[in-house]
Amino acid sequence: MAHTLLTIIATALLSSLLTLGIAHYIFQKRVKSRYEQGVQDAIDKFKEEVGPEIEARVKRGVMEGFKSLPSREILRDTTRTIAKTGLDIMGDSFKMAKRPPRSRRPGTPLDDD
């Protein structure tokens, strides 16, 4: 009984492997080349139909972006303002660092006693 069951299972596995091997061979030799050619044709068609429209939109967007840039004077003034603010912040932090420490009052919990 066990021998018969083992023979049936082995035959089914070998049959499945042989079928998969044949299907893989057929796909590689015949179907794959047609499938790849169809995909490439679809990509080329998409590029022809949509490509010029996308290119025109990108050009228009870049041109609008350059037109919307602020003038040279505004950029210069903004840069100066940012630099002045940064210097003010640095100066304030140096002033705070140079302050003498506050003297402790005797009897506070922070005494070293």
Side-chain angles (χ1 to χ4, degrees), residues 65-82:
F66 278 119
K67 288 178 184 177
S68 69
L69 285 176
S71 68
R72 181 178 233 165
E73 291 80 23
I74 294 173
L75 288 175
R76 184 181 62 225
D77 293 341
T78 304
T79 304
R80 285 182 181 167
T81 304
I82 291 171

Side-chain angles (χ1 to χ4, degrees), residues 53-73:
E53 183 178 340
I54 291 174
E55 184 178 345
R57 287 184 181 186
V58 168
K59 282 182 182 178
R60 188 172 55 237
V62 169
M63 293 304 292
E64 289 175 5
F66 278 119
K67 288 178 184 177
S68 69
L69 285 176
S71 68
R72 181 178 233 165
E73 291 80 23

Side-chain angles (χ1 to χ4, degrees), residues 36-112:
E36 287 177 348
Q37 184 62 38
V39 169
Q40 189 61 42
D41 290 344
I43 290 171
D44 293 340
K45 185 177 178 182
F46 180 78
K47 285 181 182 178
E48 289 174 5
E49 293 176 358
V50 182
E53 183 178 340
I54 291 174
E55 184 178 345
R57 287 184 181 186
V58 168
K59 282 182 182 178
R60 188 172 55 237
V62 169
M63 293 304 292
E64 289 175 5
F66 278 119
K67 288 178 184 177
S68 69
L69 285 176
S71 68
R72 181 178 233 165
E73 291 80 23
I74 294 173
L75 288 175
R76 184 181 62 225
D77 293 341
T78 304
T79 304
R80 285 182 181 167
T81 304
I82 291 171
K84 186 177 182 296
T85 304
L87 287 173
D88 290 343
I89 291 171
M90 291 296 293
D92 290 344
S93 65
F94 285 138
K95 287 177 187 175
M96 290 175 61
K98 290 183 180 180
R99 286 186 189 165
R102 290 187 274 168
S103 62
R104 295 184 190 163
R105 285 180 260 148
T108 61
L110 299 175
D111 286 343
D112 293 334

